Amino acid sequence: SDEDSSLRELSSDTVSHIWFDFHAECKKGRWYRLRNLLDEVIPTLDKQGFFCASSQNIGKHLDWTVQHVQNGAIRTNCMDCLDRTNVVQSMFGRYILF
């Protein structure tokens, strides 16, 4: 079944966990320490790519063309601060965009 094949695709080489103690690493304004996390995640970001599609008006509808397909996702969780979660996610997003 489709569910069985999806579960087979999930393995230790496709799902990983990276521990980063934001508060301890970045306390006292040491924001540059976020680069340590980014350097660790860059190979995964590069491997999974990003999704990009462009559209063109054709009459009354849009014709979409997929230019890049993304094959992964990154989840960020800070146990006590949504702001720190957003800082990390925005750093990953900026890396992909630029």
Side-chain angles (χ1 to χ4, degrees):
S1 75
D2 288 338
E3 183 177 340
D4 291 337
S5 66
S6 294
L7 289 176
R8 278 188 298 248
E9 291 176 16
L10 293 176
S11 63
S12 62
D13 63 333
T14 61
V15 177
S16 63
H17 176 264
I18 297 172
W19 176 263
F20 183 81
D21 187 339
F22 188 107
H23 182 70
E25 293 291 329
C26 299
K27 66 183 173 186
K28 298 183 181 178
R30 297 182 309 173
W31 295 97
Y32 63 90
R33 305 281 310 256
L34 285 167
R35 184 66 200 202
N36 297 337
L37 175 60
L38 182 60
D39 288 344
E40 190 170 351
V41 175
I42 281 175
T44 300
L45 292 173
D46 290 342
K47 182 179 175 183
Q48 75 182 24
F50 59 94
F51 179 82
C52 180
S54 61
S55 65
Q56 183 178 27
N57 284 324
I58 300 189
K60 293 183 178 183
H61 72 279
L62 293 176
D63 182 35
W64 288 93
T65 302
V66 175
Q67 297 174 337
H68 297 278
V69 177
Q70 179 176 331
N71 64 9
I74 292 197
R75 181 180 186 277
T76 304
N77 184 48
C78 180
M79 294 172 27
D80 64 351
C81 182
L82 185 57
D83 289 341
R84 290 193 283 254
T85 298
N86 292 339
V87 165
V88 172
Q89 281 294 111
S90 66
M91 177 180 67
F92 295 155
R94 282 191 309 274
Y95 172 79
I96 290 294
L97 288 172
F98 302 106

